[in-house]
């Protein structure tokens, strides 16, 4: 009760929700990086439970934000962009969860280095997005700081595209087991989709910065 009273009492009611969402996906992304490095199925299951907990917490944050939006008359930027950003941050967390779930369900015979590399890019995306969300309250005064972080997300996405393309080529040239091929392909596609989501979030924040 007192936690959400703080949001209402603060000068700006929206940003704390974004910051809480960011905290959830930073934790989840760090756990995803740990999960793809684990060689034990039981350990992966334990890590995934914690990722799922992060997702559940994130869902609670966005649900409360939408409830609060009914009462909030003035938003720091366009109301549709507030809702869009909250949804995209939630999608990013959902995609981290989905990536981890695929590793858990498919039980691949190995975790290739490219998969670990993509998970690390997602972890970096999450950290940069958390910085971005924290800077948004100053977006009108320090737009260049926000735009620099947006550019870093774009750079990460380009790097992950390269890893994804090279890995897909490697799989189709070298993986002879069709079932394993499908497993690796589905896992790496989920990871790549997650980095694409981070780029889309940065794109929306860039748009908000230009409109300020």
């Amino acid at each position: 009760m007192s936690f959400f009273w703080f949001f209402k009492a603060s000068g700006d009611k929206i940003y704390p929700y974004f910051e809480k969402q960011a905290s959830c996906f930073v934790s989840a992304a760090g756990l995803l990086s740990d999960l793809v490095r684990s060689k034990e199925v039981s350990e992966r299951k334990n890590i995934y439970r914690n990722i799922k907990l992060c997702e559940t917490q994130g869902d609670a944050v966005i649900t409360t934000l939408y409830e609060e939006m009914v009462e909030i008359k003035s938003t720091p930027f366009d109301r549709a962009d507030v809702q869009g950003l909250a949804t995209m941050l939630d999608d990013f967390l959902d995609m981290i969860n989905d990536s981890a779930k695929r590793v858990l369900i498919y039980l691949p015979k190995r975790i290739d280095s490219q998969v670990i590399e993509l998970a690390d890019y997602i972890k970096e995306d999450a950290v940069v997005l958390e910085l971005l969300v924290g800077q948004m309250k100053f977006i009108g005064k320090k737009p260049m700081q926000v735009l620099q972080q947006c550019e870093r997300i774009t750079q990460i996405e380009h790097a992950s595209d390269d890893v994804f393309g090279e890995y897909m080529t490697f799989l189709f040239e070298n993986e002879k087991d069709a079932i394993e091929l499908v497993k690796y392909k589905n896992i790496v596609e989920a990871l790549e989709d997650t980095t694409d989501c981070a780029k889309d979030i940065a794109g929306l924040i860039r748009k908000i910065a230009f409109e300020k």
Side-chain angles (χ1 to χ4, degrees):
M1 182 74 173
S2 60
F3 182 70
F4 291 111
W5 177 88
F6 169 78
F7 284 169
K8 292 182 179 182
S10 64
D12 206 314
K13 302 174 184 177
I14 298 297
Y15 294 125
Y17 288 100
F18 293 153
E19 290 166 2
K20 185 64 176 177
Q21 284 184 292
S23 177
C24 291
F25 63 60
V26 165
S27 296
L31 290 164
L32 175 63
S33 181
D34 293 340
L35 186 145
V36 297
R37 284 176 165 80
S38 173
K39 294 178 169 50
E40 299 294 330
V41 174
S42 59
E43 184 179 20
R44 288 180 188 168
K45 287 181 179 178
N46 287 333
I47 294 171
Y48 177 71
R49 289 191 192 99
N50 289 324
I51 293 174
K52 185 63 181 177
L53 179 60
C54 292
E55 185 198 28
T56 301
Q57 292 170 341
D59 287 344
V61 173
I62 193 171
T63 296
T64 306
L65 172 57
Y66 286 157
E67 290 172 353
E68 290 292 308
M69 287 288 288
V70 175
E71 303 296 329
I72 295 172
K73 303 304 180 185
S74 177
T75 55
F77 47 89
D78 184 81
R79 196 176 188 87
D81 286 339
V82 169
Q83 294 175 323
L85 180 57
T87 299
M88 292 170 74
L89 294 174
D90 188 59
D91 288 343
F92 183 59
L93 180 53
D94 288 344
M95 289 180 177
I96 293 171
N97 179 74
D98 181 59
S99 297
K101 186 188 294 183
R102 291 194 189 195
V103 175
L104 203 64
I105 291 174
Y106 290 143
L107 293 173
K109 290 181 180 178
R110 65 179 191 273
I111 299 290
D112 291 316
S113 61
Q114 295 91 337
V115 171
I116 294 173
E117 191 172 359
L118 285 172
D120 286 345
Y121 279 135
I122 292 168
K123 182 178 178 180
E124 186 176 357
D125 274 332
V127 171
V128 177
L129 286 174
E130 185 179 39
L131 287 173
L132 262 175
V133 167
Q135 291 171 349
M136 285 191 71
K137 64 188 69 172
F138 310 113
I139 203 168
K141 297 179 180 178
K142 302 177 181 178
M144 289 309 300
Q145 289 186 11
V146 172
L147 294 175
Q148 285 171 0
Q149 298 298 338
C150 289
E151 180 58 28
R152 180 56 193 147
I153 293 290
T154 300
Q155 292 169 357
I156 295 168
E157 199 274 333
H158 288 164
S160 67
D161 275 350
D162 290 342
V163 173
F164 174 77
E166 291 168 5
Y167 186 55
M168 292 296 286
T169 300
F170 168 79
L171 284 178
F172 282 101
E173 287 181 350
N174 297 282
E175 182 54 59
K176 306 307 179 185
D177 185 327
I179 294 176
E180 289 299 306
L181 174 62
V182 171
K183 290 180 182 179
Y184 302 137
K185 177 177 176 291
N186 287 348
I187 289 169
V188 78
E189 283 178 343
L191 294 166
E192 172 63 9
D193 287 346
T194 307
T195 63
D196 286 343
C197 182
K199 182 192 70 172
D200 291 342
I201 293 169
L204 177 55
I205 294 175
R206 186 182 286 113
K207 169 183 173 288
I208 293 166
F210 279 127
E211 290 175 350
K212 275 287 184 179

